[in-house]
Amino acid sequence: MISDIAKPSRAKKVSSLRKWGPAMLAIGLVIALNTVLFSGGVPELSERAQRKLALSQERTAAVESMEATSFDVRSGFGSRNLSEEEGGVMEYTRRRHRYLGDYVHIDKSGFFSSFGKWSTSLIYFAFWVFLMFPNWFLPIGRPGIALGGGLMMVVWRYILLRIGHGPAFDAERVIIMEPLFLLFGLMLTTIYIEKMERGGLFDKLRDSLDDPVNWKRSAKIMAMSTIGSAAVMNDSVVLIFSGVVVDLCVRHKVANSLPYLLSLATTANIGSALTLTGNPQNILIVSLAYDDIGWIEFASNMAIPVLAASLINAFMMFVYYGSELFPGSSGFFENFGIMFFGNRTPEMLAQEHAFYARQAAAQEEKVGESSSWTVWSRIQLIIVIVFLFFFAAGYDVCVVSITAGAVLMVISAYKRQHYDPRPINAQYDEDGNPLPPKKTYDMDGNEIEPEEEELVTESETTLTEVDYGLLMLFIGQFLLIGSFDDTGVPQAFFNFTMGGCAAQMAEGLCVYWFVMIVTVLSNIASNVPVCQMLAATFPYATPYEWMQVSFSATIAGNLTMLGSAANMIVAFQAAKVGDRTFTSERHAPFGIPSTLLCLYAGTFLLATFHTAKECSERLNQC
């Protein structure tokens, strides 16, 4: 009877106005706000901005007059730690401009003809649309589309080179290997945590997020995702927990898993803005910032904007998906009573009864089984704690993640060989009676002794579960974005749209226009290349300016599906287990209004309450 009551009703079709209305309203408000802010024109350069511009031009001229010397970044020759008297600042400046090729964008736009620029840009935007809406055309999937687009870009750039309309394309340089190594290591670690033992660490993590009340389950996912992303990077959190969230949705037979997947993805991006190690663009900013930015300094300045963005996003989630998260509720005020006064609707009570009935049935099935931590679960926990320690301590995240996966692989293989029961390969007749093993004979009629059963290796089992398609997706995107950045179109768009605010991008009213342009570019050309571009365009940006870049580029990841790698990972991992609700068309109606509200509220708070320096010590501006 309870199961009949708890059975989800068929979801009502949402009207286009209800679906896209909040997004259109948010865009309209942003346009109106910027119109009002700049109704009197672009503010004139402040005295501080004029002084910084003069010092920047002087420093750049001094650097360009220096003779280029051979320099090995990895060897440490010519360290940036030289004293002021020894020319340490100048050496660091020259090194940034001439030798950090892996991070600083090299301007090749002057080698393109107009035909080369626009044809390359057209290919990029065509595949951008294909990636946003992969089901519009052939059912290839995002990894195939991205890899096909990347290979097409390589071929086209070679054609442009041969006909004299563009420079050579260094495809190897634009493929950033660190994220690929990190993803591989995290996938390996996640698979072994999940597969090593039934009822182990992975199941305990999943159970910790479970709750019979829908909105509480969503809140737990958001809290875990926010804290975890700040600690160990957003990509790793969504990679580990995407399968957990989908499994919880299946367990509760929810009609729409989108609110829970959005809870994971959006808060992972927001939480990652808190720390320098929360996401790839923040890690990159540490390398690119002209002045040193400390971990504590960064987190303390980001705490208020991130907290505000988290609360706004949660509020938007509970309002926009109120019918899914508060089943049977009549509207906002009843939802408020449910959250703060413990009220329940009949539908929610039925869900709770069904939940506890399932738990009771599961306990009966587990009679005789120990629910305590086994030795293998303890080993998993120790490895994960050590993994998190080295992760947070600043060790190379790629090496740490791959090492953790390799250690778990060795332990899992040892456990399977010496402790797990052997698989039973006996065959049975129609009545269920075991059949005797078949005997084989040689040509002379002698019985052939059966060979020992070969052990199944990790290469045949767990290693095949690594999502190599996800790695292909990122490789293809690196090729597409890297070639598009070579054309100089994103940089030209930034300089054109910033106008008079370019020289004072984070001062006064210009900061609100600046973060809007960074948001748009982050969703067109991805946030990491945008940070690379800004480092080349504004090499002497102050710590405060870099924090505004970090916040806007990170929060912008929630605007569209392609705005953040975390979104793509959630979509890919969910689709792998058969859940295809997390798509671009379903993400945008919530992502656009939530992102714009979080972005402008956080920008205002960061601009108002920050303690970061608004001047550059290395530039002698302070």
Side-chain angles (χ1 to χ4, degrees):
M1 183 68 181
I2 292 176
S3 60
D4 294 337
I5 297 174
K7 188 177 180 179
S9 58
R10 189 173 183 179
K12 297 179 181 178
K13 187 176 181 180
V14 180
S15 66
S16 297
L17 180 62
R18 165 71 175 81
K19 183 178 180 181
W20 291 100
M24 296 299 103
L25 178 62
I27 293 173
L29 288 175
V30 167
I31 295 173
L33 176 63
N34 282 283
T35 301
V36 172
L37 290 177
F38 296 98
S39 57
V42 177
E44 294 184 1
L45 284 178
S46 64
E47 183 177 343
R48 182 173 60 186
Q50 291 178 8
R51 182 168 180 269
K52 179 183 176 183
L53 185 61
L55 289 172
S56 301
Q57 293 172 345
E58 179 183 338
R59 178 61 53 84
T60 300
V63 170
E64 290 177 346
S65 65
M66 286 180 164
E67 293 184 2
T69 58
S70 60
F71 188 93
D72 185 358
V73 176
R74 297 184 184 276
S75 70
F77 176 78
S79 171
R80 62 189 270 188
N81 297 320
L82 295 174
S83 66
E84 297 283 334
E85 292 74 19
E86 294 171 318
V89 173
M90 297 297 288
E91 174 60 39
Y92 173 55
T93 308
R94 175 172 64 176
R95 188 180 134 191
R96 284 187 71 260
H97 279 269
R98 296 190 176 181
Y99 298 104
L100 289 181
D102 290 340
Y103 296 109
V104 178
H105 175 72
I106 299 174
D107 187 8
K108 297 182 179 180
S109 58
F111 298 98
F112 282 90
S113 65
S114 296
F115 171 75
K117 285 184 179 181
W118 294 112
S119 60
T120 303
S121 300
L122 182 63
I123 292 173
Y124 173 79
F125 280 109
F127 279 94
W128 187 86
V129 173
F130 296 161
L131 286 168
M132 284 288 288
F133 309 103
N135 297 326
W136 279 11
F137 302 95
L138 296 175
I140 299 174
R142 284 194 174 94
I145 293 172
L147 193 59
L151 293 176
M152 181 176 178
M153 190 68 82
V154 171
V155 172
W156 182 247
R157 286 290 299 273
Y158 178 76
I159 294 173
L160 291 179
L161 174 66
R162 300 299 297 176
I163 62 178
H165 285 273
F169 181 37
D170 190 353
E172 183 180 359
R173 189 183 68 83
V174 301
I175 298 176
I176 306 175
M177 299 304 297
E178 284 82 357
L180 301 178
F181 292 146
L182 175 62
L183 282 174
F184 176 78
L186 290 172
M187 283 190 284
L188 200 62
T189 303
T190 304
I191 289 169
Y192 279 106
I193 290 176
E194 180 182 3
K195 302 291 184 183
M196 183 180 290
E197 182 182 25
R198 183 180 178 184
L201 180 60
F202 188 86
D203 290 335
K204 288 177 170 60
L205 287 172
R206 180 188 58 197
D207 293 340
S208 68
L209 297 177
D210 202 359
D211 198 282
V213 181
N214 291 4
W215 75 266
K216 286 185 178 180
R217 195 159 62 249
S218 174
K220 285 183 178 181
I221 293 170
M222 286 190 279
M224 176 279 304
S225 181
T226 302
I227 297 170
S229 297
V232 294
M233 194 179 296
N234 56 351
D235 294 350
S236 60
V237 168
V238 297
L239 187 63
I240 293 171
F241 286 97
S242 293
V244 174
V245 172
V246 173
D247 186 70
L248 287 174
C249 293
V250 172
R251 176 185 293 188
H252 290 274
K253 300 178 182 179
V254 299
N256 182 14
S257 62
L258 185 60
Y260 306 96
L261 293 172
L262 279 171
S263 297
L264 176 66
T266 56
T267 52
N269 288 322
I270 293 172
S272 70
L274 180 63
T275 63
L276 281 173
T277 53
N279 54 57
Q281 62 268 23
N282 285 0
I283 294 173
L284 184 62
I285 283 172
V286 179
S287 303
L288 297 177
Y290 196 58
D291 292 79
D292 294 329
I293 303 175
W295 196 96
I296 299 297
E297 177 191 7
F298 189 92
S300 62
N301 280 275
M302 287 293 188
I304 295 177
V306 168
L307 177 61
S310 300
L311 294 175
I312 291 172
N313 186 72
F315 176 79
M316 290 284 294
M317 183 68 65
F318 291 150
V319 170
Y320 200 88
Y321 292 102
S323 59
E324 287 89 350
L325 300 179
F326 302 90
S329 174
S330 59
F332 174 78
F333 292 103
E334 188 172 359
N335 295 349
F336 186 85
I338 290 171
M339 291 179 62
F340 295 99
F341 300 106
N343 300 337
R344 296 286 189 274
T345 63
E347 289 82 356
M348 295 175 69
L349 289 172
Q351 288 182 345
E352 290 189 36
H353 293 159
F355 175 80
Y356 293 121
R358 286 197 303 271
Q359 275 196 331
Q363 289 297 328
E364 291 178 3
E365 291 179 2
K366 292 181 179 179
V367 172
E369 294 184 14
S370 175
S371 59
S372 61
W373 289 80
T374 66
V375 63
W376 305 109
S377 295
R378 291 191 179 97
I379 290 173
Q380 282 185 325
L381 183 62
I382 292 171
I383 292 173
V384 169
I385 291 174
V386 173
F387 163 74
L388 294 178
F389 170 77
F390 282 103
F391 216 99
Y395 287 83
D396 190 293
V397 293
C398 306
V399 175
V400 171
S401 59
I402 293 177
T403 301
V407 171
L408 285 169
M409 178 176 65
V410 172
I411 294 173
S412 178
Y414 180 81
K415 173 179 177 288
R416 185 157 53 84
Q417 181 179 2
H418 296 286
Y419 290 91
D420 288 351
R422 297 286 183 183
I424 299 174
N425 299 319
Q427 297 181 347
Y428 299 87
D429 59 18
E430 295 179 355
D431 298 326
N433 300 314
L435 297 174
K438 292 183 179 180
K439 297 181 179 181
T440 55
Y441 300 89
D442 59 17
M443 299 269 306
D444 300 326
N446 301 316
E447 182 180 348
I448 301 175
E449 292 293 332
E451 296 181 2
E452 290 187 10
E453 186 178 350
E454 267 188 51
L455 293 174
V456 180
T457 65
E458 296 301 309
S459 300
E460 297 170 297
T461 55
T462 312
L463 283 178
T464 60
E465 298 185 30
V466 172
D467 293 324
Y468 298 101
L470 185 61
L471 301 179
M472 295 299 104
L473 170 66
F474 280 92
I475 290 174
Q477 283 195 303
F478 284 144
L479 293 172
L480 284 166
I481 293 169
S483 181
F484 180 53
D485 281 344
D486 280 352
T487 64
V489 173
Q491 297 88 319
F493 173 82
F494 180 85
N495 290 323
F496 174 76
T497 52
M498 284 298 295
C501 281
Q504 47 184 341
M505 54 187 182
E507 289 189 20
L509 298 179
C510 283
V511 67
Y512 299 102
W513 183 245
F514 169 69
V515 297
M516 194 68 254
I517 300 304
V518 171
T519 300
V520 173
L521 281 175
S522 294
N523 282 271
I524 293 177
S526 191
N527 40 29
V528 171
V530 167
C531 292
Q532 293 174 316
M533 179 196 76
L534 289 175
T537 308
F538 301 103
Y540 309 104
T542 65
Y544 165 65
E545 289 170 337
W546 273 121
M547 288 183 188
Q548 286 288 9
V549 171
S550 169
F551 184 77
S552 55
T554 301
I555 301 300
N558 288 333
L559 192 73
T560 65
M561 175 72 77
L562 298 184
S564 166
N567 294 341
M568 300 296 291
I569 292 172
V570 171
F572 191 88
Q573 293 293 96
K576 187 183 72 169
V577 293
D579 190 329
R580 291 178 171 80
T581 58
F582 196 73
T583 62
S584 302
E585 305 96 302
R586 296 188 180 103
H587 176 280
F590 173 81
I592 292 173
S594 174
T595 301
L596 294 178
L597 284 175
C598 293
L599 181 68
Y600 275 87
T603 298
F604 170 77
L605 292 171
L606 182 57
T608 306
F609 299 106
H610 72 273
T611 59
K613 293 178 181 177
E614 297 185 39
C615 58
S616 171
E617 289 186 351
R618 287 186 180 274
L619 197 60
N620 295 326
Q621 183 192 2
C622 297

